[in-house]
Amino acid sequence: MIELVDVKKRFGLKKVLQGVSFTAPRGAITCLTGLNGAGKTTILKAIMGLTPIQSGSIRIDGSAPHQAMYERIVYVSDQLTMPGRMRIADCFTFMQDYYRNWNSDRANELLARFQLNAADKVNSLSKGMAAKLNLLFGLAMDADYMLLDEPFSGVDIFSREEIAAVFSSEMVEGRGIILTTHEIKEIEHLLDYVVMLDHGRITKQFASEDMRMEEGKSVVDVMREVYKR
Amino acid sequence: MELLYNNRDPVYLQVVRHFKERIATGKLLSGDTIPSRRELAGQLGINPNTAQKAYKEMEEQGLIVTEGNSPSRITSDTVILGRIREELLTEAVDTFLASVNNIEVPAEQLLSLIRTRLEKKQASQSDQDLGEKGVT
Amino acid sequence: MTTYWKLLSFELRRLLLPFCILVVFTTVIQLYNAYSKAHKAVDYANKIMKKERLTTMEQYANAHGYFSYSDSFNQLNWIIFSIFICAAFVGFYFVMIWYRDTLGRHPFMTRLLMLPSSRNNLYWAKLTAPLLIMFSLLALQQILVPIGDSIYSSIVPSEARQDVPLEFLIGLNPVLNILLSNSYIDFLFYYGTGITAVIVLFTVILLERSYRLYGLLAGLAYAAAAILLIAIPLFLLQSDLRYSLTEIQLTIMYFVIIALISGVSAWFGQHLLAKKISI
């Protein structure tokens, strides 16, 4: 599991995370949600070592993060992180070169499923295609954890459905998934755990099915309660 | 197969209910095999954990039986099947009664209205069947 | 192949096109310069010979002096221009190598920072790739001088020509004198200083990437301190009050200082890249 304990982070003088603690277990889909600027992306970047934290601890399967660990955790950010002039096929070669657990067969299978062309250059893709390619890079790795930052944002409805279908498939089995989004409504039925953030603090965290069972509330209901202004 | 999810009731129970409906309406017969947990998740568009929970619940309620590594099948236990029908009918009736709760009506009038509408429906259903067979 | 070599070859591949362009550009400029200079000399001689009714080149040379490839070698010329263009590109690239992957819609730096092996590999690949390009361009300069000389010699007849040894040619040109210096100590001095400067530059860049504006200011202060430190032995070498330190001792002092600065800066830069960088 990925565990954060009392994580605090500042950007200059601005406090971005003010004591965040939560656990994202393996084999489950955990959603980090909150309004824009709540600190969701920062948490994902901190887990990946892309931005430092000032205090608190982040533990992945019990140990502190070290660079070799990032073979088992993939981060699917909201931007494509490959040079614009590279072709998709070259990106695959790159990934194969540096990652032992890159699954070429699955990569090609997903390429066909998402209807992407290996000869296309990265900077020629539309937003929806880029989002799918990004997701592909994450799924084609045999990783234990997947962190997804706003996988549905700015993507047309059909691409959204395709992406949501991934979360119902065997590709997520056994993996720990953390995804951030501020659009809960369409995907609430897919989530196991929900962590709500507001200005760098956790305001509520729960298991969605328990909330439905015990209080008859949907995740959106809880959000309305928590964020009512 | 896509279910529209009511996000206020536990998803896994909605899946179980979906199966009960299909059994009660005869779309699923006893002995029929059902998709695996994985396939179920994909078909219904739910998280595999939820599919797992639904499976477990159905096994506990005796709706499905799993023998060894073969795919699970709908139970042949008539008691359980009967109970499901009863459960769904009761639920439907309760829902109906709740919706007419605010309208003051004596029981006999209500029952006779139900009978009339039922007969009308069955008549138009057989007309439709005749029509389909090409008889004027 | 270890990750360092993979990353190095990746960076070099990205530099391949600019490198080839610079090679062609430099070669064409310098060799064309040699060619046209030679022809100009011959045409000039022919003109004078006609005017003064001289018949052989030998007569011309006796009366008016010899031509040499080294003519105008010590002035601002095409050679210096071509070197300047190459140097400008390499200098620019030492900075851009970090920023090109952080700006724009596809921040590749994110991907590089997530690679499952030590970030030190990334640091050294980004340091050594432009350095290799730089040394290759220098090697090019080293061979272009004799080639230019032989082109010149093949056009200007030997009777009117004074040949000059290579070291002398290089010594005449103020820029080549530094870049292709003959003495080992001088070579180490110039290149040691240059590499130290690049390592300090990397530290400044990484400070900016880690702490943004405050990082940049801190980096500039750091660079200023480094400059002051190396100025000490240089100043002492120039001045009269040497505190009875010999030239050799001061030279050693200089090398020790730049080694220390490089070591500390390289360690610090890698530390920033591994633990403090923020994208």
Side-chain angles (χ1 to χ4, degrees):
Chain A
M1 62 178 177
I2 295 183
E3 193 185 354
L4 271 71
V5 178
D6 201 28
V7 168
K8 294 197 177 124
K9 184 189 164 58
R10 275 182 287 115
F11 264 130
L13 291 171
K14 186 175 164 207
K15 291 188 194 160
V16 175
L17 297 176
Q18 309 188 56
V20 169
S21 306
F22 72 89
T23 309
R26 205 158 150 192
I29 300 182
T30 303
C31 179
L32 289 179
T33 186
L35 306 172
N36 282 331
K40 317 186 285 287
T41 304
T42 309
I43 290 176
L44 294 189
K45 287 189 184 172
I47 295 173
M48 293 306 290
L50 295 171
T51 196
I53 57 174
Q54 274 75 48
S55 72
S57 76
I58 298 179
R59 294 231 176 286
I60 299 166
D61 289 341
S63 25
H66 52 273
Q67 208 63 27
M69 200 179 258
Y70 294 117
E71 200 163 34
R72 296 190 293 116
I73 313 175
V74 292
Y75 174 51
V76 178
S77 80
D78 53 354
Q79 290 169 297
L80 264 178
T81 52
M82 289 289 185
R85 284 199 234 129
M86 255 186 158
R87 290 173 203 279
I88 296 181
D90 298 327
C91 296
F92 282 15
T93 313
F94 179 89
M95 296 302 274
Q96 204 164 12
D97 258 347
Y98 291 91
Y99 291 93
R100 287 170 301 177
N101 55 352
W102 173 258
N103 188 329
S104 283
D105 297 326
R106 198 186 305 149
N108 287 316
E109 185 195 311
L110 284 168
L111 198 65
R113 178 161 152 178
F114 288 147
Q115 294 177 307
L116 296 166
N117 190 344
D120 283 344
K121 287 193 181 167
V122 161
N123 56 13
S124 70
L125 299 175
S126 72
K127 215 164 175 197
M129 298 203 290
K132 283 187 266 185
L133 181 63
N134 233 356
L135 189 61
L136 191 160
F137 285 134
L139 290 169
M141 291 250 270
D142 289 323
D144 296 338
Y145 296 99
M146 257 177 89
L147 310 182
L148 299 112
D149 202 359
E150 303 274 1
F152 303 104
S153 87
V155 164
D156 67 78
I157 190 172
F158 299 112
S159 301
R160 229 185 266 194
E161 281 174 13
E162 275 186 81
I163 294 174
V166 168
F167 296 110
S168 320
S169 72
E170 69 275 10
M171 289 193 221
V172 302
E173 254 181 68
R175 294 190 201 215
I177 297 184
I178 304 182
L179 65 93
T180 69
T181 186
H182 51 277
E183 295 169 43
I184 289 273
K185 200 153 153 217
E186 290 168 32
I187 52 145
E188 74 148 288
H189 60 281
L190 291 169
L191 311 172
D192 291 309
Y193 298 98
V194 179
V195 175
M196 294 185 174
L197 286 159
D198 191 19
H199 291 109
R201 273 185 238 269
I202 294 187
T203 44
K204 209 166 168 90
Q205 49 181 312
F206 55 92
S208 53
E209 292 279 72
D210 290 346
M211 183 60 70
R212 291 179 192 119
M213 181 80 92
E214 288 159 23
E215 296 184 41
K217 291 184 192 154
S218 72
V219 178
V220 175
D221 289 335
V222 178
M223 277 189 85
R224 286 214 186 94
E225 271 174 30
V226 163
Y227 293 112
K228 69 167 175 270
R229 290 172 186 282
Chain B
M1 269 200 269
E2 275 247 344
L3 296 183
L4 276 166
Y5 294 102
N6 147 20
N7 285 317
R8 295 202 170 106
D9 294 324
V11 180
Y12 82 103
L13 289 179
Q14 292 180 57
V15 172
V16 173
R17 190 159 190 302
H18 167 77
F19 273 92
K20 286 184 180 172
E21 271 176 29
R22 297 187 81 214
I23 292 171
T25 55
K27 293 205 185 103
L28 268 177
L29 302 170
S30 74
D32 280 354
T33 58
I34 57 170
S36 69
R37 273 158 259 250
R38 224 180 240 189
E39 287 164 1
L40 200 65
Q43 284 170 12
L44 298 178
I46 54 176
N47 162 345
N49 284 332
T50 314
Q52 167 73 19
K53 255 176 136 166
Y55 242 76
K56 187 153 171 262
E57 183 67 23
M58 290 196 284
E59 277 175 354
E60 276 174 17
Q61 289 192 21
L63 251 67
I64 58 174
V65 276
T66 319
E67 275 156 35
N69 281 330
S70 12
S72 305
R73 320 171 92 84
I74 305 289
T75 183
S76 321
D77 186 336
T78 46
V79 174
I80 294 179
L81 290 172
R83 202 169 25 85
I84 294 174
R85 275 180 53 95
E86 176 108 13
E87 195 182 309
L88 289 180
L89 280 170
T90 314
E91 218 181 283
V93 169
D94 283 342
T95 310
F96 167 69
L97 288 176
S99 62
V100 298
N101 189 38
N102 290 330
I103 309 171
E104 300 252 332
V105 54
E108 305 87 56
Q109 196 182 340
L110 199 59
L111 287 166
S112 108
L113 180 62
I114 292 174
R115 192 165 295 130
T116 322
R117 299 300 292 174
L118 197 59
E119 281 167 12
K120 194 166 181 191
K121 187 157 186 265
Q122 283 171 342
S124 75
Q125 186 68 41
S126 60
D127 277 348
Q128 216 178 359
D129 289 341
L130 286 172
E132 280 167 14
K133 287 177 188 157
V135 177
T136 28
Chain C
M1 274 206 292
T2 71
T3 310
Y4 165 72
W5 294 107
K6 287 184 208 171
L7 287 169
L8 179 67
S9 77
F10 185 83
E11 293 290 346
L12 286 175
R13 251 178 289 136
R14 289 169 113 185
L15 280 167
L16 188 62
L17 185 62
F19 176 68
C20 288
I21 292 175
L22 284 172
V23 166
V24 168
F25 170 79
T26 305
T27 307
V28 166
I29 280 197
Q30 289 199 11
L31 298 187
Y32 180 73
N33 174 47
Y35 174 85
S36 78
K37 227 165 87 167
H39 275 291
K40 266 200 213 136
V42 171
D43 293 344
Y44 180 78
N46 283 331
K47 209 171 74 185
I48 299 286
M49 276 162 59
K50 216 176 184 170
K51 210 166 82 172
E52 298 175 6
R53 292 178 216 283
L54 301 170
T55 45
T56 65
M57 280 292 190
E58 211 170 334
Q59 291 173 335
Y60 171 86
N62 284 331
H64 297 276
Y66 294 96
F67 292 115
S68 174
Y69 186 51
S70 63
D71 292 339
S72 74
F73 231 64
N74 57 343
Q75 297 162 6
L76 219 58
N77 56 18
W78 287 107
I79 292 180
I80 293 185
F81 175 69
S82 71
I83 293 174
F84 176 73
I85 297 286
C86 292
F89 174 77
V90 174
F92 171 75
Y93 200 77
F94 272 121
V95 176
M96 277 317 276
I97 199 169
W98 291 104
Y99 289 103
R100 78 178 287 187
D101 293 326
T102 54
L103 309 169
R105 283 196 310 146
H106 305 111
F108 185 50
M109 185 58 77
T110 307
R111 181 71 56 187
L112 290 171
L113 290 173
M114 294 196 295
L115 291 177
S117 62
S118 170
R119 287 184 186 172
N120 292 346
N121 292 314
L122 187 62
Y123 181 90
W124 291 105
K126 288 212 182 266
L127 180 66
T128 50
L131 280 177
L132 280 172
I133 297 297
M134 185 184 85
F135 282 118
S136 305
L137 289 170
L138 284 162
L140 179 70
Q141 288 294 339
Q142 181 78 56
I143 59 172
L144 282 178
V145 175
I147 292 179
D149 190 30
S150 59
I151 288 180
Y152 190 87
S153 305
S154 71
I155 296 172
V156 177
S158 53
E159 312 89 70
R161 195 179 75 223
Q162 178 168 46
D163 290 329
V164 153
L166 223 52
E167 301 86 59
F168 189 69
L169 267 176
I170 288 173
L172 269 177
N173 186 296
V175 173
L176 281 179
N177 187 29
I178 293 179
L179 292 179
L180 301 176
S181 171
N182 238 342
S183 119
Y184 284 123
I185 297 283
D186 284 348
F187 190 86
L188 272 169
F189 176 82
Y190 292 124
Y191 286 95
T193 309
I195 292 176
T196 304
V198 172
I199 295 179
V200 170
L201 174 68
F202 270 27
T203 306
V204 174
I205 293 175
L206 288 168
L207 274 166
E208 190 278 325
R209 289 283 83 207
S210 302
Y211 300 107
R212 302 294 190 268
L213 185 62
Y214 297 117
L216 182 62
L217 295 172
L220 292 173
Y222 179 84
I227 291 174
L228 280 171
L229 210 59
I230 65 167
I232 296 172
L234 289 176
F235 175 73
L236 289 177
L237 270 171
Q238 307 268 40
S239 80
D240 294 322
L241 26 90
R242 284 204 193 166
Y243 302 101
S244 65
L245 287 167
T246 68
E247 200 169 288
I248 293 183
Q249 285 175 323
L250 283 171
T251 310
I252 292 178
M253 182 187 179
Y254 184 81
F255 281 115
V256 167
I257 288 179
I258 62 170
L260 275 170
I261 294 178
S262 308
V264 168
S265 305
W267 173 84
F268 189 41
Q270 287 173 84
H271 172 76
L272 287 170
L273 186 63
K275 295 266 173 359
K276 302 289 182 196
I277 201 164
S278 189
I279 56 116

